[in-house]
Amino acid sequence: MRADREFVYGAIAGLAGDLLLGDPRRGHPVAAFGRAAGAVEQVLWRDHRGWGALHTALCAGGAAAGAALVSRGARGRGAASVALTAAATWAVVGGTSLGREARAIGGALAAGDLEVARERLPHLCGRDPQYLDERQIARAVVESVAENTSDAVVGALVWGALAGVPGLVGFRAVNTLDAMVGHKSPRYRRFGWASARLDDVAGWPGARLTAGLAVLAGGDAPGAVRAWRADARKHPSPNAGPVEAAFAGALGVRLGGTLSYGGRVEHRPVLNGSGRTVEFGDIERAVRLSRRAGRQGQPADAAGRLAGHALRARRAGKGRG
């Protein structure tokens, strides 16, 4: 079995595992990586970009290198290679759990239980929920669903298509580090700089593909394109901007505005200003759009993996000639 096909079969199996099982409540590999990265941080932390860059290199580089060694050992071994790819894909892709968490908050809002919705919001994003009302929570959930469709689904598959299992693991490691230290709090403004910049680079292709898939999978393609083109650059994140703007246009809602994050109040630009205010019912619509975009991204990434292998083989053949 060729290596590219082994990867595709393994990725399909891993995605099926995520669909059926979601993330485990305990013992998740990403959580284990987070604990290890936190331990390294305790040793290395200094209010300095250089020390933060070292932390990023050791944690993200170590994860990708370890995955490369294991992948190399399984290469060409058929079932072992497929099983490794399936396990890695299941570990890094989180589309099912993303939908479950979003729907749980939407259900609490639909039942009028604002306190439960506030309690569950930190499971999905880093917003401060204490003073958020129903519509602000709904907006935070829709924005998080949009951004995490790229981070937890499409972006991971893109790097899997580009670099196999090391790409999957490395991307998830970078994304996790950014969530841990990449924000602009006093502690991490310098130390987390390298993680944040690396995440911007790693997330660039997946974010653009996710935005494009939102255009195709949403109910208002012209509106999604218009919001993407007009508002994406206004967002402080180069990758969240296109995705959230495209989702806003596709859903016909208005995203952005004032939010509280990590003890700081931010006033973000409005995305799709002609849209209506987000309501709790839009959470379900956002989850469905996320799932459609993820499903459409899977064959595109598989095709990219196969095409990349064919191109490398063709170049190798010309080199021998």
Side-chain angles (χ1 to χ4, degrees):
M1 188 186 300
R2 286 188 346 194
D4 56 334
R5 292 183 180 176
E6 292 173 357
F7 180 86
V8 171
Y9 295 154
I12 292 172
L15 290 167
D18 175 67
L19 181 63
L20 295 173
L21 304 174
D23 293 336
R25 296 187 181 277
R26 296 181 180 179
H28 197 291
V30 174
F33 170 80
R35 289 192 295 271
V40 175
E41 177 191 337
Q42 294 302 314
V43 176
L44 294 182
W45 187 88
R46 306 287 190 283
D47 191 18
H48 191 277
R49 285 185 175 183
W51 285 95
L54 177 61
H55 176 258
T56 301
L58 288 175
C59 295
L69 287 174
V70 176
S71 182
R72 184 174 182 179
R75 187 178 303 162
R77 295 175 60 186
S81 180
V82 171
L84 175 63
T85 303
T89 303
W90 167 79
V92 305
V93 171
T96 297
S97 293
L98 171 65
R100 287 176 181 171
E101 289 294 339
R103 281 171 167 154
I105 298 171
L109 292 177
D113 198 334
L114 188 58
E115 289 306 312
V116 170
R118 286 171 175 163
E119 289 175 4
R120 296 198 67 95
L121 185 63
H123 293 220
L124 190 64
C125 64
R127 306 284 176 88
D128 296 331
Q130 183 177 2
Y131 301 110
L132 298 183
D133 62 23
E134 174 188 303
R135 290 185 173 181
Q136 290 169 327
I137 290 177
R139 191 193 83 198
V141 172
V142 171
E143 290 171 353
S144 295
V145 168
E147 184 175 2
N148 282 294
T149 301
S150 176
D151 289 345
V153 183
V154 178
L157 294 175
V158 166
W159 279 100
L162 292 173
V165 170
L168 285 168
V169 173
F171 175 79
R172 189 60 166 170
V174 169
N175 188 250
T176 302
L177 286 177
D178 178 61
M180 293 175 65
V181 304
H183 39 87
K184 296 180 179 179
S185 65
R187 177 178 174 86
Y188 295 122
R189 186 177 299 275
R190 294 184 180 86
F191 186 81
W193 177 86
S195 290
R197 298 290 78 76
L198 183 59
D199 184 68
D200 287 344
V201 173
W204 196 95
R208 274 72 193 167
L209 178 57
T210 305
L213 293 170
V215 171
L216 297 175
D220 184 358
V225 171
R226 184 167 55 251
W228 181 2
R229 294 182 61 184
D231 298 330
R233 294 180 182 178
K234 300 176 183 178
H235 198 286
S237 168
N239 295 328
V243 178
E244 291 185 19
F247 264 66
L251 297 171
V253 299
R254 184 170 63 253
L255 300 179
T258 302
L259 58 86
S260 178
Y261 182 89
R264 308 182 319 275
V265 175
E266 296 184 9
H267 302 283
R268 291 185 177 177
V270 172
L271 307 178
N272 193 38
S274 61
R276 58 177 174 76
T277 302
V278 179
E279 299 176 351
F280 68 80
D282 294 310
I283 293 176
E284 178 63 28
R285 297 177 62 229
V287 171
R288 291 180 180 177
L289 175 56
S290 174
R291 292 176 69 92
R292 289 195 299 270
R295 285 197 299 267
Q296 290 183 7
Q298 292 166 21
D301 289 325
R305 180 71 177 179
L306 295 172
H309 182 88
L311 181 60
R312 289 191 295 271
R314 183 177 180 181
R315 288 176 176 174
K318 287 184 177 180
R320 288 192 297 269

